[in-house]
Amino acid sequence: MNHSKKPSLSFSLGANHLHAVLRVDQIRNDTLIQLVQHWADPDSRDEILDALDELAAVVQGIAREGELDAAIEQVEDVAGMDTAQIEVPTLDARRLHDELSAVNRVLDRFNPQRRVPAPREGGAAA
């Protein structure tokens, strides 16, 4: 359950209390708005549809390394999408810091020495 004063931009614990959850609704909203802004142009619409069809094929199949990222970038390019980031005002930054600190206190009870797991194959840590 998210107890944040601003759930649309917040940190909370995952349901099993073994991970943090970052919620940033503004990024999703901006993404959809940017997509439909270019969708209104008939010339862009065909390019966007082609890129979305390609992305759907990659998602539904077995993607080769880098294929999913390339398909997403293609959608972003033809739809003129900005980087997935938002500005966080000082008060929200402090609130997010407090929320993440509270989440980390719970997560650290299972990892008091804050040990980092070995990287997985492919380079990402667990």
Side-chain angles (χ1 to χ4, degrees), residues 45-104:
R45 182 179 297 173
D46 290 339
E47 290 179 19
I48 293 170
L49 279 172
D50 291 343
L52 288 171
D53 285 341
E54 185 177 324
L55 176 59
V58 170
V59 169
Q60 292 171 354
I62 299 173
R64 294 182 303 258
E65 185 173 342
E67 192 174 21
L68 180 60
D69 290 338
I72 290 171
E73 285 177 22
Q74 181 65 21
V75 172
E76 292 171 338
D77 288 345
V78 297
M81 294 177 165
D82 294 330
T83 304
Q85 64 184 24
I86 63 167
E87 291 183 10
V88 180
T90 302
L91 290 175
D92 283 334
R94 288 184 180 132
R95 179 185 49 78
L96 286 168
H97 175 270
D98 293 344
E99 290 176 7
L100 183 56
S101 294
V103 166
N104 279 331

Side-chain angles (χ1 to χ4, degrees), residues 14-28:
N16 61 7
H17 287 212
L18 296 176
H19 63 274
V21 175
L22 172 61
R23 181 172 165 185
V24 187
D25 290 357
Q26 188 64 46
I27 291 175
R28 179 185 56 213

